[in-house]
Amino acid sequence: MTWTQAINPLGNLGLSALVDALPIIFLFCALAIWRMKGHMAGLITLALAVVIAIGVHGMPVHMTLLSAVYGVMMGLFPIGWIVITAVFLYNLTVKTGQFEIIKDSIASITEDRRLQALLIAYSFGAFLEGAAGFGAPVAITAAMLAGLGFKPLYAAGLCLIANTAPVAFGGLGIPIITAGAVTGIDTMAISQMVGRQVPFLSIFVPFWLVFTMAGWRGAVEVLPAILVSGMSCALVQWFSSNYMTPMLPGILSSLVSIVALVFLLRVWKPKKIWRFADEPQATLRVRRYSAGALLKAWSPFIVLTVLISDWGLKPVKAVLDKVTIKLAFSGLDQAIVAGGRPMSVVYNFNWLSAGGTAILIAAIISAMILRVGPGQFLEVFAKTLKDLRFALLTILSVLGFAFVANWSGMTPTLGKAFTVTGIFFPFVAPILGWLGVFVTGSDTSSNALFCKMQQITAEQIGVNPVLTVAANSSGGVAGKMISPQTIAVGAASTGLVGREGDLFRFALGNSIFFTLIVSVITLLQAYVFPWMVPALARATGAAASTGTSSSGGVTILLLTAAFILLLGLVASRQKGSLEALNGRRGA
């Protein structure tokens, strides 16, 4: 039995698009206006999509339900598997107390508030986004800045602004992997395109951070630090996203940014220490540690970086893929006719070559280094599953909705409707991603919702869809800072509960400004610099490729080891005790 995908089922494109947009409109209202829980909103959205697919598009019931099941399976593995293992590894460092050492190693490097913002809000926040995501970057870095003596509004606001460019590669590349899963475009092609967009933000954001808090003169005084911080991050972000894997840019670029800035501060200092006028008393207790203690604390992320890098090597991946289990969906495979030909629907359960498996192995090795017993290991894993249960349910429901919408014809109908924007669609594409992240709080969810539509619209107007799919993620990073979920996290971590409106207003203009920057970049890449857009490549299976073109494992190990030793050297030479660090007042 075959069924032909129905596009514009009502015979009026505007009306069909309006009906097909109802689940998305509901999701936006549920999250932004009614403040419904994410998992409940996601489940209802999926149910609405099922009803429209069956009742309006005429999709057979069993195909509709199987499409939802396929999406849920994709949400669970490989996407959910990476989320679980990444947060689990992070939780291990927290449970063993090693994360406190990591925080102190960053906070003890300088007393200048501008440089602390660069190190903590920008570089360390990017590291947290790349390693875990899910609100951790803003919550941790904002609390650190407030503890060091930043005014709470600035502490939270600066961390919201800083948490932009890293979002596209957050949680070990989950947004990029999701974009590849829902579009069928090779993940590396999307990674390469995003890596040719967000580095421009990575260069600009450090300057904008310091300018926001200290003005033009304050920014010029630390311009060397701004340039080193932004340029080093952007270059590594570009290189790792284009030549390695989408799972590493967040971690590698932030580590290099920290290393570069720490090295600079050993040979250069600003003429004077800058602080806020009448800033509150510092409360964060910063301690100093030996290089050995720092190396141990950072070791889980060193192991993670090396394993992820080598796991993505094409020869290694080819060997690991030999045990991949392929599941053909008999009710869907070759049964849906789209674009004049039947679709192949095969689920690849690549349990050994999946990035999440590499992260789990890194967690096991880290547990041995940190002397975590089997009981505590399982306890932390169980707690991680419990903490993530609703977040995972949200991911599963949104992915289920995405595949029902994609295969029933809902998404193609919306994509066709967006062709009315014509040649200006590349400018609009990042704004859609921004809107998706603003409402859902997640670049991953935004990509699941809109990337297929971005692909279809681009194909209709003759633009390489890799550009617009990547722009959805790149534009989405600017929406993170004004998402109600992120605002709530920033307010809670700095004692601003009840002042979320002030924090929103602080970030709103910056969010719109950054989105317009990405829109202009995308428009230029579409028509002026098309050579910057990678060739369209299709993924060969359900799990998109994340293979690397060269090893780099040894280089990464040496780099991160040098990073730890450098931090240890700097931390051990800090003058004064805890009270001296936290009690001094400057201009």
Side-chain angles (χ1 to χ4, degrees):
M1 175 184 174
T2 61
W3 173 78
T4 301
Q5 190 181 68
I7 301 176
N8 188 15
L10 300 179
N12 181 296
L13 185 58
L15 183 59
S16 295
L18 178 61
V19 172
D20 287 343
L22 288 177
I24 299 175
I25 295 172
F26 167 80
L27 182 63
F28 282 9
C29 293
L31 294 176
I33 300 175
W34 304 325
R35 302 295 176 89
M36 190 179 292
K37 297 292 185 181
H39 62 282
M40 289 301 300
L43 289 172
I44 296 174
T45 299
L46 173 57
L48 286 173
V50 168
V51 171
I52 294 173
I54 296 171
V56 178
H57 285 262
M59 191 178 196
V61 175
H62 74 282
M63 289 187 182
T64 305
L65 297 180
L66 284 174
S67 298
V69 170
Y70 186 91
V72 167
M73 291 176 66
M74 286 295 295
L76 188 61
F77 190 97
I79 296 169
W81 181 228
I82 294 176
V83 172
I84 292 169
T85 52
V87 176
F88 170 55
L89 178 65
Y90 164 76
N91 286 344
L92 272 180
T93 66
V94 174
K95 182 69 173 179
T96 56
Q98 300 303 311
F99 191 73
E100 290 300 316
I101 299 176
I102 292 174
K103 288 200 302 184
D104 285 345
S105 70
I106 299 296
S108 64
I109 292 172
T110 178
E111 298 176 52
D112 190 290
R113 299 301 186 222
R114 298 164 297 183
L115 301 179
Q116 286 175 340
L118 291 177
L119 274 168
I120 296 173
Y122 182 70
S123 299
F124 189 51
F127 172 79
L128 292 173
E129 183 67 46
F134 286 92
V138 171
I140 293 170
T141 55
M144 287 177 67
L145 290 184
L148 287 170
F150 278 65
K151 293 180 179 180
L153 184 62
Y154 270 94
L158 292 173
C159 290
L160 289 174
I161 295 172
N163 190 38
T164 48
V167 170
F169 295 104
L172 292 172
I174 282 295
I176 309 299
I177 294 170
T178 301
V182 300
T183 61
I185 297 175
D186 183 63
T187 301
M188 272 307 296
I190 301 172
S191 174
Q192 289 168 344
M193 189 66 250
V194 174
R196 300 172 193 185
Q197 293 176 326
V198 294
F200 293 105
L201 278 182
S202 297
I203 293 172
F204 178 71
V205 168
F207 167 79
W208 194 251
L209 271 181
V210 179
F211 174 76
T212 299
M213 63 187 290
W216 177 260
R217 174 180 285 185
V220 171
E221 288 174 352
V222 291
L223 191 58
I226 291 172
L227 292 175
V228 167
S229 180
M231 292 291 292
S232 60
C233 182
L235 286 172
V236 177
Q237 202 172 50
W238 164 78
F239 179 82
S240 55
S241 62
N242 276 263
Y243 299 105
M244 298 182 71
T245 164
M247 299 181 71
L248 283 179
I251 290 180
L252 284 184
S253 61
S254 56
L255 286 178
V256 171
S257 179
I258 294 172
V259 170
L261 189 51
V262 169
F263 182 78
L264 174 70
L265 293 179
R266 290 189 54 76
V267 297
W268 171 89
K269 302 282 185 186
K271 291 183 179 179
K272 63 178 182 179
I273 300 296
W274 188 91
R275 292 175 181 259
F276 292 100
D278 302 321
E279 65 181 42
Q281 179 67 37
T283 58
L284 181 65
R285 298 295 177 180
V286 179
R287 291 182 290 177
R288 294 175 289 131
Y289 299 91
S290 67
L294 290 171
L295 181 60
K296 179 182 178 182
W298 282 92
S299 62
F301 299 103
I302 297 175
V303 174
L304 170 70
T305 302
V306 173
L307 278 181
I308 289 295
S309 177
D310 288 339
W311 221 253
L313 289 172
K314 291 181 179 178
V316 175
K317 190 173 179 62
V319 172
L320 299 178
D321 271 336
K322 289 182 178 180
V323 294
T324 294
I325 301 172
K326 296 181 181 293
L327 303 175
F329 273 57
S330 58
L332 289 177
D333 191 32
Q334 305 297 322
I336 300 176
V337 178
R341 60 182 182 271
M343 292 171 45
S344 175
V345 182
V346 179
Y347 178 77
N348 288 349
F349 183 55
N350 58 329
W351 61 275
L352 188 55
S353 65
T357 303
I359 303 170
L360 179 63
I361 295 174
I364 294 172
I365 296 173
S366 300
M368 296 177 182
I369 296 173
L370 302 180
R371 299 178 184 240
V372 176
Q376 189 179 34
F377 185 89
L378 294 175
E379 176 189 347
V380 175
F381 190 78
K383 185 179 184 303
T384 300
L385 288 177
K386 182 180 178 181
D387 292 343
L388 289 176
R389 64 191 187 278
F390 293 127
L392 287 172
L393 187 55
T394 302
I395 292 173
L396 300 186
S397 58
V398 170
L399 265 292
F401 157 73
F403 278 89
V404 169
N406 293 347
W407 291 349
S408 67
M410 295 167 61
T411 302
T413 299
L414 290 171
K416 192 172 182 180
F418 265 99
T419 59
V420 298
T421 58
I423 62 172
F424 294 104
F425 182 71
F427 185 88
V428 175
I431 299 174
L432 289 174
W434 172 81
L435 181 63
V437 176
F438 163 63
V439 173
T440 66
S442 166
D443 206 34
T444 300
S445 296
S446 176
N447 286 353
L449 289 173
F450 291 139
C451 275
K452 188 65 178 179
M453 183 176 66
Q454 298 269 20
Q455 177 189 19
I456 292 169
T457 306
E459 291 172 344
Q460 293 276 342
I461 65 172
V463 171
N464 188 334
V466 175
L467 174 64
T468 54
V469 169
N472 194 87
S473 195
S474 299
V477 304
K480 185 82 169 180
M481 70 177 80
I482 58 170
S483 166
Q485 297 93 315
T486 311
I487 292 288
V489 169
S493 61
T494 54
L496 291 174
V497 175
R499 294 186 60 190
E500 288 84 357
D502 294 338
L503 196 53
F504 178 82
R505 286 187 289 273
F506 184 96
L508 180 59
N510 299 284
S511 177
I512 295 173
F513 180 39
F514 288 177
T515 305
L516 293 177
I517 290 176
V518 179
S519 290
V520 171
I521 290 171
T522 306
L523 190 65
L524 291 174
Q525 289 173 331
Y527 303 116
V528 182
F529 308 111
W531 51 267
M532 295 183 69
V533 184
L536 177 62
R538 300 288 181 181
T540 57
S545 166
T546 56
T548 66
S549 58
S550 61
S551 173
V554 174
T555 303
I556 293 167
L557 177 59
L558 292 175
L559 174 66
T560 49
F563 157 68
I564 302 303
L565 292 175
L566 186 58
L567 278 181
L569 181 61
V570 173
S572 65
R573 293 191 178 185
Q574 288 294 313
K575 291 182 178 181
S577 62
L578 163 65
E579 290 78 14
L581 178 66
N582 287 330
R584 288 182 196 146
R585 293 291 181 184

